[in-house]
Amino acid sequence: MESFGGPTMGSTYSIKYVRTQGLPAPKVVQAEVEKILADVDRQMSTYRSDSDIERFNDLPANRCQTMRAPILELVRVGEQLSLQSEGSYDLTVEPLMNLWGFGPQAREEKIPSPEALATAMQRIGYTHLRIDGDQLCKDAAVEVDFNSIAAGYSVDSIAATLDSMGIHNYLAEATGELKAAGKKLDGSPWKVALEEPRDDQQVAERIINVDGYGVSTSGDYRNYFEQDGRRYSHTFDARTGAPITHNLASVTVINPSALMADGLSTLLLILGPVRGWDYAEKHNIGAFFVIRADTGFVTRTNQAFERLSGGKTE
C-alpha cells in the first residue's frame, strides 16, 4: 500500500493505492497528481488573483475571455444544476459570499442591509453567462465561484490518471471529496466514514463501502455565524440571496462521477429536507440526509444510496 498527500485548495488531499509490479514509482504518481491539482488551482481558484477564473471575474459586463476546456465544462455542469434546481444552485454567488462574510473578499460576517443585498443580487445569475466557442462571456458583472464542484472535478481527473497508469485499486481524496475503486491490499473494500454534524468534534455517523463511485458531503456545520439567535450558513440559495435556514444539516451523495456528487450534494443541501429529498428521488440520486431535530439528529437514506453503498455496513 502506497500513500501520499499534501496541501491543496486551502485544504489537503490524500491518495492511497495498491502498488503492483510494473507500476510507476510512487514519486512519479505523486508528481502527476500534484500537476493536476496545480492546474486546477491555476485555472479555478478564487483565492489567487492570477487564476483564469479570477481574471474573468475582474472583467466588466459584456466581455469575453478565452478559457481552457475544464472551465467551460464546469460552467456547463453548473448551468445544468441551476436549471434543475430552478435557479437555487448558481455558480455566480461569489458577491453574496463576500457580502455575508464568507467569500475571498469578505469583510465581516454580518447580515447585510436590504440595499446592499439588492445591489449584490444585480450581479447574480447563471443566465448572465454564455459560452461562445472557446470563450466564456458575461452580460453582467457576475463572478464565478467553482468551490462547489472544483474538488470533485479534481478527484475525477486524478482517478482517470491513476487508471491510465495501471492503478486500479485506489482511494483518491481532495478537500473531503473522494473516489474509490477496487480493493485494499488485504482484499477488503474501501470504507468511508460519514461524519455526524457536530460543531465540536468528529463522530462517524455511518461507515459505507465504496467501489467505483465518487462520494461528497455538503454541510452547514463547519462554516457559519450566529446573530440574534439565528444560524447563517455559508451555503446560499441564489434565488433569495440569503444563506439556507432550514434544518437539513448535511447531505452525502454517491455518484459514478465525483464532480456530479460534489455539485449534487450542494444542490440538495440548498433545496432542503423536503425539496431536496423529492429531487433525489425523482432523479434517482443516492443520498444520505442528516436532519436537525429537537433531540439531536435524524438520518434519512434512500434506496439508491443503499444500493450504491452496498447496504449498511456499520
Side-chain angles (χ1 to χ4, degrees):
M1 181 75 76
E2 299 286 353
S3 64
F4 58 86
T8 187
M9 303 182 207
S11 183
T12 60
Y13 82 95
S14 66
I15 309 294
K16 296 179 174 65
Y17 70 96
V18 177
R19 184 185 181 193
T20 55
Q21 191 172 8
L23 293 181
K27 64 179 182 180
V28 174
V29 179
Q30 183 169 1
E32 288 298 312
V33 168
E34 293 190 343
K35 180 177 181 296
I36 292 169
L37 294 170
D39 284 345
V40 169
D41 190 58
R42 191 161 44 246
Q43 293 182 54
M44 304 173 189
S45 174
T46 55
Y47 287 87
R48 49 183 291 179
S49 60
D50 62 340
S51 71
D52 293 348
I53 201 60
E54 275 303 287
R55 288 190 293 109
F56 176 80
N57 289 344
D58 286 342
L59 292 176
N62 302 308
R63 296 286 296 276
C64 299
Q65 180 177 315
T66 300
M67 290 292 193
R68 284 174 274 196
I71 284 184
L72 300 179
E73 176 189 350
L74 293 200
V75 170
R76 292 186 180 100
V77 170
E79 180 182 31
Q80 173 190 341
L81 295 173
S82 294
L83 287 168
Q84 292 179 356
S85 64
E86 299 176 339
S88 289
Y89 176 99
D90 200 300
L91 291 177
T92 66
V93 295
E94 187 167 315
L96 292 175
M97 299 276 286
N98 291 326
L99 182 66
W100 285 82
F102 296 108
Q105 280 90 49
R107 298 296 179 262
E108 74 178 297
E109 295 175 344
K110 65 176 183 178
I111 301 172
S113 68
E115 295 78 16
L117 183 58
T119 299
M121 288 295 286
Q122 295 175 7
R123 301 170 56 210
I124 306 298
Y126 71 97
T127 56
H128 294 301
L129 294 173
R130 174 175 55 88
I131 295 175
D132 183 4
D134 63 354
Q135 291 194 317
L136 181 60
C137 306
K138 54 181 171 181
D139 62 20
V142 294
E143 298 177 41
V144 178
D145 186 328
F146 288 127
N147 284 333
S148 61
I149 49 178
Y153 168 82
S154 301
V155 170
D156 278 341
S157 300
I158 291 169
T161 296
L162 295 177
D163 280 324
S164 72
M165 300 174 86
I167 299 170
H168 306 303
N169 298 283
Y170 60 82
L171 190 152
E173 173 269 329
T175 75
E177 319 305 327
L178 61 89
K179 190 168 191 176
K183 305 289 185 183
K184 293 192 288 186
L185 189 60
D186 61 3
S188 64
W190 297 101
K191 293 182 182 295
V192 176
L194 308 183
E195 185 180 350
E196 183 176 306
R198 298 278 186 90
D199 297 330
D200 56 345
Q201 58 183 313
Q202 288 185 307
V203 179
E205 177 80 48
R206 176 172 166 177
I207 297 174
I208 60 172
N209 297 331
V210 182
D211 182 3
Y213 293 99
V215 181
S216 174
T217 298
S218 292
D220 71 350
Y221 52 94
R222 282 281 183 263
N223 195 0
Y224 65 94
F225 71 89
E226 293 182 354
Q227 184 171 327
D228 301 326
R230 293 192 66 180
R231 181 188 186 102
Y232 296 91
S233 164
H234 74 299
T235 302
F236 286 77
D237 186 329
R239 297 189 306 175
T240 65
I244 57 173
T245 56
H246 51 64
N247 61 347
L248 181 56
S250 74
V251 183
T252 298
V253 169
I254 300 181
N255 190 279
S257 161
L259 165 59
M260 292 308 300
D262 199 1
L264 287 168
S265 66
T266 303
L267 182 153
L268 296 179
L269 182 65
I270 294 169
L271 293 184
V274 178
R275 289 174 62 211
W277 181 265
D278 292 343
Y279 181 99
E281 290 291 88
K282 178 181 178 181
H283 296 277
N284 196 33
I285 297 165
F288 178 84
F289 282 43
V290 180
I291 304 164
R292 284 190 179 84
D294 293 338
T295 56
F297 296 101
V298 295
T299 61
R300 194 178 186 192
T301 315
N302 63 11
Q303 291 183 350
F305 186 93
E306 296 291 350
R307 184 179 70 253
L308 295 175
S309 65
K312 193 162 186 175
T313 62
E314 293 184 33

